[in-house]
Amino acid sequence: MNERVSLHEEVGVRNTECLSADNLAKLQQIMYESKVTKGSRLFWEGDIADKLYFIKSGRVKMTKSTDEGRHFILYMYQEGDLFGQVDPFCQSTHIFNAEVIEDSVIGVILQKDLEVLLWQNGDLAVEFMKWMGLVHRMTQTKFRDLMMFGKHGALCSLLIRLTNSYGKEQGNHILITKTHTHTELADMIGATRESVNRMLSELRRANAIHIENNHILVKDLSYLQNICHCESCPKDICRM
């Protein structure tokens, strides 16, 4: 990897691309803006779930706590993403934590305002259902990766998701422009840091990846796809 990594980090596929520009603008009209600092929590497990959140700038990660005190990272949301939990038929509580990992500007949508907007705009209601379906499919594929093909398969799937979210092509290779510690990678697949170190070393020896200055260069994407039995999901699903 000859090129030094002082790269512009492009925003990957947003999970709101199933919404038309007009309908996204309608949602933005009912948002109130909140500036939140790195390390803040938008909500905790157990908090009342009555809002959606739209990232105007910054990044947010969704985590799940275990009985042993570990924090499993399920999602990494970025600019242009919509997330949160609203249940139309009952009052529910959050099952994840939402932690801000960069100073961010967040648009907040109250459930009562959303319900009125959906009632008034049938085309938006249909697109909103598509968005909800997309989020459910993302969750299903992540749990599939974690449960079906072991930690090695889960790590390979994670690397593929990282290329789709933060990848920059360099010839026949893909550079993941955002760095993650081995502990963070371990938290994303429910593994230990030591096992991630070992599996990354195996992938380097297989010439599937190269690591320099904490950046991962994917040299053989098909090798990773074979290990995790990749189903070639669209990038709006195969993402962080």
Side-chain angles (χ1 to χ4, degrees):
M1 189 160 45
N2 298 322
E3 186 178 354
R4 209 98 171 122
V5 183
S6 58
L7 298 169
H8 173 67
E9 295 175 351
E10 299 178 356
V11 175
V13 178
R14 300 168 176 84
N15 72 2
T16 51
E17 293 193 5
C18 57
L19 301 174
S20 67
D22 287 345
N23 282 329
L24 185 58
K26 291 175 184 176
L27 287 174
Q28 290 174 323
Q29 288 173 1
I30 64 170
M31 298 176 186
Y32 67 87
E33 189 174 286
S34 177
K35 295 181 179 179
V36 287
T37 57
K38 178 181 178 180
S40 301
R41 297 293 198 281
L42 293 175
F43 51 80
W44 296 86
E45 293 180 49
D47 286 350
I48 297 297
D50 59 357
K51 302 177 183 69
L52 291 180
Y53 302 86
F54 179 78
I55 302 180
K56 296 185 175 182
S57 65
R59 287 198 301 153
V60 175
K61 69 178 178 181
M62 301 282 279
T63 65
K64 177 70 175 176
S65 301
T66 67
D67 293 338
E68 295 78 24
R70 291 194 59 187
H71 296 282
F72 176 70
I73 301 174
L74 188 61
Y75 294 108
M76 300 281 282
Y77 291 116
Q78 56 191 342
E79 180 183 333
D81 281 339
L82 180 70
F83 66 95
Q85 177 182 328
V86 290
D87 293 315
F89 304 113
C90 62
Q91 187 177 72
S92 63
T93 57
H94 286 290
I95 58 174
F96 304 122
N97 305 300
E99 179 183 348
V100 179
I101 54 179
E102 292 179 2
D103 290 346
S104 302
V105 178
I106 306 293
V108 182
I109 303 174
L110 299 178
Q111 179 173 343
K112 59 183 181 65
D113 295 334
L114 175 63
E115 289 175 349
V116 172
L117 188 65
L118 295 178
W119 179 76
Q120 293 173 337
N121 299 272
D123 57 335
L124 172 58
V126 172
E127 290 185 3
F128 187 77
M129 290 175 61
K130 292 180 180 179
W131 172 81
M132 292 181 68
L134 172 66
V135 173
H136 286 312
R137 287 187 65 193
M138 288 174 61
T139 303
Q140 289 170 349
T141 57
K142 289 191 176 188
F143 281 123
R144 176 204 62 198
D145 295 341
L146 293 171
M147 297 175 65
M148 298 297 293
F149 305 116
K151 299 304 182 187
H152 206 171
L155 178 61
C156 290
S157 176
L158 172 61
L159 293 175
I160 294 170
R161 292 178 186 275
L162 288 171
T163 64
N164 290 336
S165 297
Y166 312 117
K168 185 178 180 67
E169 291 188 4
Q170 291 192 344
N172 295 324
H173 303 155
I174 305 174
L175 177 68
I176 298 172
T177 58
K178 284 194 178 295
T179 61
H180 297 86
T181 67
H182 290 186
T183 299
E184 288 174 330
L185 296 177
D187 288 342
M188 292 177 191
I189 63 171
T192 63
R193 180 177 56 83
E194 292 77 14
S195 64
V196 167
N197 291 343
R198 175 179 51 79
M199 290 186 290
L200 289 174
S201 296
E202 292 173 359
L203 292 174
R204 283 199 299 264
R205 287 195 295 270
N207 204 32
I209 66 170
H210 176 67
I211 300 177
E212 183 177 319
N213 300 325
N214 295 323
H215 284 82
I216 299 176
L217 180 74
V218 175
K219 302 176 68 176
D220 191 344
L221 185 63
S222 61
Y223 184 91
L224 304 180
Q225 292 171 329
N226 288 334
I227 291 177
C228 68
H229 302 262
C230 177
E231 297 178 359
S232 300
C233 297
K235 287 187 177 182
D236 57 354
I237 293 175
C238 184
R239 48 152 290 175
M240 295 305 301

